[in-house]
Amino acid sequence: MIELPPELESPPVPWTRRHLLDLESLTADEITTALDVAQRFKEATKDCKVKLPALAGVTSVNLFFEDSTRTRTSFSLAARRLGADSVEFSASSSSVSKGETLLDTAKTIESMKIDAMVIRHRSPGAPQMLAKNLDCSVINAGDGPHEHPTQGLLDILTIRQHRGSITGLTVALVGDIAHSRTARSNIWGLKKLGAHVIVCGPSTLVSKQWEKLGVEVSHNLDDIVARCDVLNLLRIQFERQYTRPFPSVREYALLYAMNRERMCRAKDDILIMAPGPINRGVEVTPDVADGSQSVILHQVNNGLAVRMAALYLVTKASR
């Protein structure tokens, strides 16, 4: 473990929030502060490899009611990289299976003197409900189709690292916009930092109502691909759908998958992103997912830095 750099000994002045629940309610300055702190942690930990004593004495609990690989693992590692204790909660082996409510479960865990609770839940608003009823900090790790603020931040951090600024960029979110919490957090964050955002996909997954958020709506990837600086390819979330939104996966891939032919019509420096998990051959072909313009694994690494920043900012604001 190395010593904490002086600039990380206290949280930046613009940040006063005890919880991170969404990007909709954050100001552009607060979003920039979170990105700056994540970048400092990434550099101070030598690309998220070494430990810092920034959160020594802090305990965080990962309260996940939905499956997760990247988010859960990176929150756990982020806490440990900063010297905090991290505890995993499994709904299937807890008293939830005996009928205990979410709030009673959360209050029970909080009474064990924890400092932060990271929650993923299928119901939109679950993190907000806990934030109103608990004294510890609450971080939203995804609430149904509502928001996924740390995913939005890590996507924006990845773009900023490769382009220097968000202002003036054209960023397209392609795929299942209707059911994507990642799309909503990206839209709020990117718009506040000055990007032009396009949402693209079948009309059954991308309605004209999205224009009310100040974004451009397109149903044809071939019409927009040449003017995009960034393509963020979102997974089709079949688990949240009651009817099939298009005739077949093959037809969807034909119309919306980023493939070699479309890359030939894209800008030379386009960034290919995906929040994962990716379905190769559906949203993106393997050669593009693993190609030179892909920053998908950079996003995963930045997830550690952003979650270090999130835990640090909310717990410091609580003290």
Side-chain angles (χ1 to χ4, degrees), residues 159-166:
I159 297 171
R160 194 177 76 165
Q161 287 171 345
H162 285 82
R163 290 291 177 269
S165 172
I166 304 300

Side-chain angles (χ1 to χ4, degrees), residues 84-144:
D85 293 317
S86 178
V87 179
E88 301 296 332
F89 168 88
S90 174
S92 60
S93 59
S94 73
S95 292
V96 171
S97 63
K98 303 174 185 175
E100 189 173 62
T101 67
L102 169 61
L103 183 56
D104 283 339
T105 297
K107 284 189 170 183
T108 297
I109 294 173
E110 185 189 40
S111 68
M112 300 177 195
K113 307 303 179 186
I114 67 165
D115 301 284
M117 189 171 292
V118 180
I119 178 171
R120 168 169 288 188
H121 201 280
R122 61 183 175 277
S123 299
Q128 287 79 0
M129 183 273 288
L130 293 187
K132 291 178 181 176
N133 288 280
L134 301 180
D135 293 325
C136 69
S137 293
V138 176
I139 297 176
N140 180 3
D143 58 331

